[in-house]
């Protein structure tokens, strides 16, 4: 059986290009004892993957040039020589960027009965939803009724952040990159205020939605957003540092916020985190989020590309604002 | 009775100059019912005061031009019309930058029997000591046996930080601005490693003293020190942001650390604080620190100027590295 995979052809410099990727066809072996053959239904592209394309020491090893990329994927077991995994069932794996694979169960998570379309398990019910949940509730210690600002609010993580904060009775302000995304945030997702960051008046917009300032800033963007947020924080405010998409393609070091010293007098806490350190919250997250999605309290949107050959384009689209909600590549 | 006071003549631009200050002689009234006349024995100059000389919104109101400056001072009650305060007893006040004052008891703290020379209550047994204690133990949540880096280590706060960390069984690295200060840190105060930051190889020096990296960074300096420390942190490290003396005299915004995004992957927490929010620790601090000073586990040094007219010079000296340990102005 053949499967197509996406290989890192070169390390991107600056904004990634489709030529930095290569589609390769491989022949899959038959699953031996204890192995399964899984056909991926959909795969995830996420901003953090840009960091792994750089050759540097980080919390995960860099991708190797010439190697098949990896990432979140939802697949169906097509053939099983495994005692636990049944043919036809859905599994979540970290073996994305490929149409199918043969593996032992290591790293496969059984999804059981799906409570939503499979792709939701890449987004609101998957890593991005869990990132929002852990970042807001544990990293930022969000309390009922506080004011929250989230950047990249129309993305997979940001849109979950805003809606969870609303469920917790908070005032929610979000930034996004287009008028249509801003409309989506306030009209579809219930944000109290949203704005297009392109005019550059970030502080003014934030204070418009949170006139007394912000208790919690959930940072997906870094750069000017982080600097502006620091100017809008209330005493003892918390900043959950989740991502810095504004600088992932930078080719030189980017200066940090020139007002970080505000943190001293205001008693601010900036805390960086990666979701994999919060697995102790996973069951609670799945329970809560499944219920919120079922009740319609949390809505989600996806931007979809079809076919493994479109995966590079989908990935690049993360940095040009092509997605509203989760960026998903359909493989079935 | 006459008293001399130091008045803010102009708002300093860049490094403060003695001409930014003016000595004014005032006539003190007799203390009326409920008031005391206090003669200050010594007064404090502290780096944070530079911030209050700028006309901007902050956690304390700015000093007014033409107004007498304020700050920590230790004095003796010379005449009392107050039922609780006795003539001859020592009080701590925020009415420094003056030789004497008449006041009601508001804001005066009785020191009781002195356990050390009066000036120690401006330093190791006062605000700087308490800053070190609260910052290390509560803000940075220091644990037994961790690795600590402190900048400005030969200053009043930094030298207390290093010694408390040693008492807690930690490995301690400090930076300072001269070979003599470096010698003082390792030979007199028991630091495991210390270095003169002027050669610019901060990371190399930090790793020399903490080859596995740093769990806690206590930041008194900001700027290049904060950036270097970020590069040396261990996973889940904590950075207590206490001061940023490197940039207090800047005339334009100073770029922040260009590597702040490290905090995401490493799960770092940066927490700013001001000591006045940690008054709940005061009794515990006084008990611990008085015992440590008595046992010699914590040593302290002072750099002394004599006479109120030397206070501006002492203050400016904070920014030129003139002090080892607490900078004190003797007034008696």
């Amino acid at each position: 059986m053949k499967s197509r995979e996406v290989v890192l052809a070169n390390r991107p410099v600056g904004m990634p290009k489709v030529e930095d990727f290569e589609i390769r066809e491989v022949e899959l072996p038959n699953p031996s004892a204890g192995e399964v053959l899984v056909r991926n239904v959909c795969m995830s592209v996420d901003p953090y993957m840009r960091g792994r394309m750089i050759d540097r020491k980080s919390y995960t090893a860099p991708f190797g040039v010439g190697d098949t990329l990896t990432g979140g994927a939802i697949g169906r077991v097509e053939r099983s020589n495994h005692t636990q995994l049944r043919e036809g069932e859905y599994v979540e794996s970290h073996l994305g960027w490929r149409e199918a694979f043969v593996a032992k169960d290591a790293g496969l998570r059984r999804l059981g009965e799906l409570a939503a379309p499979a792709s939701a398990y890449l987004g609101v019910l998957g890593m991005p939803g869990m990132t929002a949940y852990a970042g807001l509730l544990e990293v930022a210690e969000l309390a009922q009724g506080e004011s929250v600002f989230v950047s990249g609010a129309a993305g997979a993580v940001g849109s979950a952040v805003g809606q969870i904060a609303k469920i917790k009775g908070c005032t929610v302000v979000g930034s996004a990159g287009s008028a249509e995304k801003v409309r989506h945030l306030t009209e579809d997702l219930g944000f109290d205020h949203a704005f297009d960051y392109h005019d550059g008046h970030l502080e003014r917009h934030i204070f418009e939605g949170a006139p007394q300032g912000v208790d919690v800033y959930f940072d997906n963007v870094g750069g000017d957003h982080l600097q502006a947020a620091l100017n809008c924080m209330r005493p003892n405010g918390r900043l959950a540092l989740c991502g810095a998409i504004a600088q992932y393609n930078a080719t030189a070091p980017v200066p940090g916020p020139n007002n970080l010293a505000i943190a001293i007098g205001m008693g601010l806490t900036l805390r960086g985190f990666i979701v994999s350190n919060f697995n102790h919250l996973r069951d609670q997250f799945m329970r809560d989020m499944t219920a919120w999605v079922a009740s319609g309290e949390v809505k989600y949107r996806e931007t979809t590309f079809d076919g493994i050959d479109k995966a590079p384009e989908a990935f690049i689209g993360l940095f040009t604002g092509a997605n509203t909600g989760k960026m998903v590549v359909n493989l079935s």
Side-chain angles (χ1 to χ4, degrees), chain A:
Chain A
M1 181 188 149
K2 291 189 191 317
S3 163
R4 290 181 299 163
E5 307 184 339
V6 184
V7 168
L8 185 65
N10 321 287
R11 299 200 179 281
V13 177
M15 178 69 81
K17 300 177 295 293
V18 288
E19 301 79 50
D20 295 327
F21 304 88
E22 203 182 292
I23 311 292
R24 180 191 290 165
E25 195 174 80
V26 298
E27 184 73 36
L28 294 180
N30 283 320
S32 19
E35 288 187 332
V36 285
L37 166 66
V38 173
R39 188 174 292 278
N40 281 331
V41 175
C42 52
M43 60 161 271
S44 187
V45 288
D46 300 284
Y48 80 85
M49 294 171 173
R50 179 66 183 87
R52 295 193 65 190
M53 295 175 188
I54 302 169
D55 190 14
R56 66 168 173 212
K57 204 179 143 235
S58 185
Y59 61 98
T60 41
F63 294 126
V65 172
D67 290 352
T68 303
L69 297 165
T70 57
I74 308 297
R76 274 188 105 160
V77 177
E78 193 160 293
R79 289 183 53 194
S80 178
N81 281 322
H82 188 284
T83 50
Q84 305 284 314
L85 296 165
R86 295 187 317 276
E87 286 173 17
E89 77 171 317
Y90 285 94
V91 289
E92 183 190 345
S93 77
H94 205 67
L95 292 168
W97 296 87
R98 69 197 78 203
E99 293 179 306
F101 60 86
V102 170
K104 295 201 186 295
D105 62 350
L108 303 187
R109 190 184 336 247
R110 304 174 72 178
L111 293 183
E113 190 84 29
L114 295 195
S119 59
Y121 289 83
L122 295 178
V124 69
L125 293 172
M127 185 271 282
M130 173 75 179
T131 301
Y133 188 88
L136 206 48
L137 302 185
E138 190 147 312
V139 177
E141 300 177 1
L142 183 73
Q144 197 81 16
E146 291 190 314
S147 290
V148 177
F149 170 49
V150 54
S151 55
V157 174
S159 57
V161 166
Q163 292 180 92
I164 296 171
K166 285 310 299 175
I167 290 170
K168 300 293 178 187
C170 294
T171 300
V172 178
V173 181
S175 68
S178 76
E180 165 51 22
K181 288 179 181 176
V182 166
R183 190 208 59 72
H184 171 59
L185 294 175
T186 53
E187 292 182 21
D188 305 333
L189 303 188
F191 280 56
D192 296 286
H193 184 65
F195 62 88
D196 184 338
Y197 61 79
H198 284 102
D199 74 6
H201 298 298
L202 300 177
E203 281 100 332
R204 210 189 61 201
H205 288 299
I206 299 166
F207 277 125
E208 222 167 278
Q212 308 303 314
V214 167
D215 298 295
V216 166
Y217 170 50
F218 194 108
D219 191 21
N220 293 309
V221 171
D224 60 345
H225 272 79
L226 177 54
Q227 185 165 303
L230 281 164
N231 285 331
C232 301
M233 298 304 294
R234 290 163 57 85
N236 304 313
R238 287 87 63 205
L239 299 91
L241 307 183
C242 176
I245 198 169
Q247 56 209 62
Y248 287 170
N249 294 313
T251 51
V254 179
N258 66 19
N259 56 352
L260 187 56
I262 287 176
I264 301 173
M266 298 287 277
L268 306 181
T269 301
L270 295 85
R271 189 169 170 209
F273 75 106
I274 48 173
V275 65
S276 51
N277 289 338
F278 291 83
N279 283 333
H280 56 283
L281 293 180
R282 203 188 141 75
D283 292 346
Q284 181 191 328
F285 157 71
M286 283 304 281
R287 246 190 337 265
D288 281 347
M289 191 58 100
T290 306
W292 292 333
V293 168
S295 69
E297 285 172 283
V298 170
K299 300 181 182 71
Y300 64 96
R301 221 187 239 197
E302 292 170 355
T303 299
T304 304
F305 282 70
D306 286 319
I308 188 84
D309 51 312
K310 291 287 192 264
E313 208 176 310
F315 175 67
I316 294 165
L318 294 170
F319 304 102
T320 60
N323 60 308
T324 300
K326 180 70 189 116
M327 184 74 99
V328 171
V329 182
N330 277 326
L331 299 178
S332 60

